[in-house]
Amino acid sequence: MGKVIAIANQKGGVGKTTTSINLGASLAVLEYSVLIVDFDPQGNASTGLGIDIQERNLKGIYQCIMGSCTPQEAIQQYEDIEKLHILPATIDLVGAEIELANKDDRDAYLKKVIDQVRNNYDFIIIDCTPSLGILTSNALAAADSVLLAIQCEYFALEGLSQLLNTIRIVQDNINSSLMIEGFLITMFDVRLKLSTQVVEEVHKHFQELTFDTIIQRNVKLAEAPSFGKPVITYDINSVGAKNYLNLAQEILRRNHLPETKQ
């Protein structure tokens, strides 16, 4: 049974989608089977893996949660990495918050979809929307753990207490087994003293929950999505590729798994 990890933060622009794509690709390169679930209506994880979300007949996670198709019908394989698959987002997902709002089991829809394919993958990574609404609560209800991306900026920790409170509410009411996978520091700039200060603050507050791996600002990492590629296939020698490969290996160690699947 695969492990489900939600990548979350209610702030936008902190590296959630970049982490979803590149952590998933790195785990797949290490021979683990990975499904990325794009659960953000913007669909950036989908386009970042070369999927045209404007395609008229595209089936995605919205169609799955609404019951008009199965996840098996919507999942696509990323062409350059055999073990990497994507369940895309379509523009229809933007209406899901409203459509689910009055349903009794409104937080369980994503879990029902993921449970259908969970045994087919070693890891399922959910790219969450930058909000604390119904879509995010669905992601947290479906997940075994949540990885929190924290950007190296002045307001990095602002709002984090609200997100942690949401996680506690989900643990108390919906998913008692939800764990925090770790805090990931992103967009680290070695030239800025502020970046170092943010790292120190995160370590002070969250200690062993903070990943040793830090994701540095990197031109290749920023360029890769425009080519529909994860950075590990765009430029394997880049700092970004090395950072995410290190993160994948650190997650495998934390989960007592070999760094390359046998």
Side-chain angles (χ1 to χ4, degrees):
M1 182 180 289
K3 181 168 189 177
V4 183
I5 303 175
I7 313 291
N9 193 320
Q10 78 271 27
K11 289 169 68 75
V14 300
K16 291 188 301 295
T17 299
T18 298
T19 296
S20 298
I21 292 170
N22 291 294
L23 172 59
S26 296
L27 287 166
V29 165
L30 296 171
E31 298 298 326
Y32 286 87
S33 55
V34 179
L35 173 65
I36 297 174
V37 178
D38 189 350
F39 209 49
D40 184 345
Q42 296 176 85
N44 290 338
S46 304
T47 57
L49 288 172
I51 294 174
D52 180 6
I53 62 172
Q54 303 299 328
E55 183 187 334
R56 189 171 181 178
N57 296 318
L58 179 66
K59 295 177 180 177
I61 185 59
Y62 172 82
Q63 287 74 18
C64 295
I65 62 176
M66 291 303 167
S68 61
C69 79
T70 66
Q72 291 87 345
E73 292 173 312
I75 289 170
Q76 299 187 34
Q77 181 188 339
Y78 177 64
E79 60 181 8
D80 293 335
I81 303 175
E82 182 183 355
K83 290 186 176 291
L84 181 61
H85 294 78
I86 172 85
L87 180 47
T90 62
I91 191 64
D92 307 286
L93 188 59
V94 75
E97 294 257 6
I98 298 170
E99 294 181 62
L100 295 177
N102 295 318
K103 295 187 181 293
D104 292 336
D105 56 347
R106 63 182 187 176
D107 296 312
Y109 276 73
L110 181 60
K111 185 178 188 302
K112 291 175 184 175
V113 173
I114 286 177
D115 282 349
Q116 295 178 55
V117 295
R118 184 166 180 157
N119 289 336
N120 299 339
Y121 297 95
D122 296 309
F123 289 95
I124 297 175
I125 295 173
I126 308 171
D127 184 29
C128 295
T129 182
S131 73
L132 295 179
I134 292 173
L135 294 184
T136 297
S137 63
N138 261 264
L140 296 178
D144 298 309
S145 66
V146 54
L147 186 154
L148 301 158
I150 303 175
Q151 183 182 2
C152 278
E153 63 170 28
Y154 184 72
F155 295 111
L157 302 181
E158 187 180 81
L160 208 55
S161 60
Q162 187 181 0
L163 178 57
L164 291 171
N165 186 54
T166 298
I167 291 171
R168 280 191 289 270
I169 291 169
V170 170
Q171 289 170 328
D172 290 342
N173 298 283
I174 305 170
N175 182 3
S176 60
S177 61
L178 180 67
M179 305 290 290
I180 293 177
E181 188 74 26
F183 292 83
L184 176 67
I185 297 167
T186 64
M187 303 181 188
F188 180 87
D189 191 331
V190 294
R191 301 166 297 179
L192 300 179
K193 184 178 179 181
L194 176 61
S195 288
T196 303
Q197 291 172 337
V198 170
V199 171
E200 290 172 352
E201 281 294 304
V202 174
H203 275 281
K204 183 173 77 174
H205 284 89
F206 304 111
Q207 299 172 2
E208 72 278 358
L209 283 175
T210 306
F211 288 107
D212 293 329
T213 302
I214 293 174
I215 308 302
Q216 297 172 251
R217 284 194 181 275
N218 177 244
V219 172
K220 299 296 185 182
L221 192 58
E223 288 177 350
S226 65
F227 292 88
K229 295 176 177 287
V231 71
I232 204 164
T233 58
Y234 180 64
D235 186 347
I236 195 170
N237 295 313
S238 66
V239 170
K242 292 173 183 175
N243 287 168
Y244 276 106
L245 196 56
N246 287 340
L247 175 64
Q249 291 170 333
E250 186 172 355
I251 285 176
L252 291 171
R253 288 195 300 271
R254 286 187 175 208
N255 286 277
H256 310 292
L257 294 168
E259 291 187 6
T260 302
K261 189 174 182 182
Q262 305 300 319

